[in-house]
Amino acid sequence: MVPRLPGHGAVPRICDTATRQLVEARPIAVADLYVCGITPYDATHIGHAATYLAYDTLIRLWLDAGYEVRYVQNTTDVDDPLLERAAATGIDWRTLAAEQTELFRRDMESLGVIPPDHYVAATEMIGQVADAVRRLLERGSAYRVDDDIYFDSAAAAASSPWHLGQVSNLDRPTMLELVAERGGDPERPGKRDALDPLLWRGARDGEPSWETVLGAGRPGWHIECSVIAQEFLDLPLTVNGGGSDLVFPHHEFSAGHTAALTGAPLANLYSHTGLVAYRGEKMSKSRGNLVLVSSLTDSGVEARAIRLAVLSQRYRDDWEWTDELLAEAEQRLASWSAWAARGRSAGTSGMLDGLRAALIHDLDTPAAVAAVDARAAGGSAPAEGDLTAINALLGIRL
Ligand code: ZN
């Protein structure tokens, strides 16, 4: 439970990728948040933790501003990388997905991340996705290539309020490069545009598939998020969030599919978190340089220290995880804990106002952490309410 604080904070302003502006993330009534979830084939690394902690901070600010929050996260529990990993390790894909999903949720819990109201798995939404793809075919915003179905970007742009580049602001050569890097198939013969993404993959031997109105097959990735957001939240979302490697093609086309289906935008604000490196390179499964949350906690590192290490970085920056950074966070936690143990001093401290002011400005957690540092290093014990403010807004219980 997030403790309630006196009064209300202001509505946070965060950076919108589509307009490249700092925009007030103001809910219309309820704050509707959709953050893209994991493909469960490798446990939670610090890069994941950083993304979900950024939106955890946003949720805490909405709650503090007096809003109800509805939060949904998908789990891409059927996808090429998961199936490849399952095949390579000889584990059934369902078993692998279930194990890794469980580990991810445990890691999030240990970090004190507020859980979504709904975790929705792709495999729970097969019928809804197939129906959405059928409607796109009927409207001329999708086409078949053999047994597969693709989104027709040009047709969708002509008939909906979306156009290619609306979310990502990228030029075509960059889009082509990213699509090739990130699981797309620009070279496939029969596509109307090399950038058109897969909506539906027809059944293949040895791959899981479901019987649907489209025939046997399985969903593409972008349509999965579009449909889950439509099913569980009110559109436009207050914020659609994820790591910056999701800007293109994933969020661009989730927005495109949604506009083609509903005639309206997916989100009012598209937010992205920076990527985390380790030993000089982006943390990734293929490079084998993952720092897993569970390995750190298993080796005795306090989850609060991991949380503090992440919060000491700006969520939109790319940054590097280092042993020094963790050691610094452990030291900081020890110093804050010693301060918290000093009893209570009379009067108020301005801590709550300081934290609110820092965080509503594009989730400036490093400034918030510095504000607590300054208090903890000063002579006096915490004032009444200081520790509650730190717990509610930074998620660190002292
Ligand atoms: Zn997504």
Side-chain angles (χ1 to χ4, degrees):
M1 271 305 280
V2 180
R4 288 191 64 124
L5 299 171
H8 283 307
V11 176
R13 296 166 75 83
I14 62 173
C15 183
D16 174 32
T17 304
T19 57
R20 303 181 194 176
Q21 306 273 330
L22 208 57
V23 174
E24 212 176 45
R26 181 175 288 280
I28 296 166
V30 172
D32 282 301
L33 174 66
Y34 186 95
V35 180
C36 291
I38 57 161
T39 299
Y41 67 105
D42 246 331
T44 325
H45 61 71
I46 296 291
H48 297 128
T51 291
Y52 300 114
L53 276 167
Y55 298 107
D56 183 70
T57 303
L58 178 61
I59 290 170
R60 288 167 190 275
L61 293 171
W62 275 328
L63 293 173
D64 184 41
Y67 289 101
E68 184 192 330
V69 179
R70 278 189 299 232
Y71 175 22
V72 172
Q73 198 183 114
N74 65 310
T75 307
T76 306
D77 63 345
V78 56
D79 200 8
D80 295 342
L82 169 71
L83 298 173
E84 282 159 19
R85 174 63 61 92
T89 52
I91 302 173
D92 183 85
W93 65 275
R94 281 158 293 219
T95 310
L96 177 64
E99 282 172 5
Q100 296 299 311
T101 300
E102 182 54 33
L103 186 52
F104 168 71
R105 292 184 193 176
R106 270 214 306 276
D107 286 344
M108 288 295 110
E109 202 182 310
S110 79
L111 291 173
V113 173
I114 298 167
D117 300 295
H118 301 281
Y119 275 117
V120 187
T123 53
E124 296 174 285
M125 299 297 286
I126 304 287
Q128 290 90 332
V129 169
D131 188 59
V133 174
R134 179 188 58 77
R135 281 182 283 141
L136 288 172
L137 279 169
E138 281 170 7
R139 284 170 202 188
S141 295
Y143 57 94
R144 290 183 182 270
V145 177
D146 306 325
D147 285 343
D148 301 330
I149 302 173
Y150 284 87
F151 184 60
D152 190 327
S153 308
S159 61
S160 84
W162 170 85
H163 63 268
L164 195 56
Q166 188 176 70
V167 173
S168 63
N169 291 297
L170 295 171
D171 58 27
R172 191 172 169 86
T174 311
M175 288 180 186
L176 280 166
E177 212 174 284
L178 290 176
V179 157
E181 257 172 45
R182 296 175 178 168
D185 52 2
E187 311 282 335
R188 172 134 187 211
K191 285 174 66 170
R192 292 180 187 166
D193 183 325
L195 291 171
D196 288 347
L198 189 73
L199 288 165
W200 185 259
R201 183 170 161 89
R204 307 280 201 280
D205 282 347
E207 287 187 6
S209 63
W210 288 261
E211 280 302 333
T212 69
V213 292
L214 303 170
R218 61 181 165 96
W221 178 30
H222 321 310
I223 190 72
E224 166 192 335
C225 284
S226 166
V227 168
I228 294 173
Q230 290 175 59
E231 289 277 331
F232 287 86
L233 296 166
D234 285 346
L235 302 191
L237 303 168
T238 314
V239 170
N240 181 27
S244 61
D245 51 349
L246 299 187
V247 173
F248 194 90
H250 185 54
H251 284 171
E252 185 71 70
F253 286 117
S254 297
H257 299 345
T258 307
L261 284 163
T262 68
L266 171 62
N268 279 330
L269 205 161
Y270 297 90
S271 159
H272 294 95
T273 59
L275 300 179
V276 182
Y278 185 57
R279 296 189 172 145
E281 287 189 285
K282 185 202 148 188
M283 221 179 261
S284 76
K285 284 144 194 151
S286 49
R287 292 190 183 92
N289 64 339
L290 298 183
V291 179
L292 301 180
V293 171
S294 53
S295 319
L296 289 172
T297 51
D298 286 351
S299 72
V301 174
E302 251 223 71
R304 288 184 302 169
I306 302 171
R307 186 175 176 110
L308 258 186
V310 172
L311 292 180
S312 71
Q313 305 298 311
R314 288 201 31 98
Y315 82 98
R316 280 202 294 125
D317 293 346
D318 292 341
W319 55 279
E320 180 154 1
W321 178 265
T322 61
D323 297 341
E324 293 72 32
L325 186 73
L326 176 61
E328 196 181 287
E330 288 177 314
Q331 231 165 39
R332 172 172 280 131
L333 182 62
S335 130
W336 290 13
S337 301
W339 169 64
R342 279 195 220 158
R344 298 291 170 273
S345 56
T348 52
S349 71
M351 167 71 74
L352 174 57
D353 291 345
L355 293 183
R356 279 175 171 159
L359 294 171
I360 60 163
H361 183 79
D362 206 16
L363 314 181
D364 194 347
T365 53
V369 166
V372 182
D373 279 347
R375 278 289 294 167
S380 56
E384 204 61 55
D386 281 3
L387 303 187
T388 313
I390 294 166
N391 184 5
L393 295 175
L394 292 178
I396 302 278
R397 193 180 298 217
L398 295 168

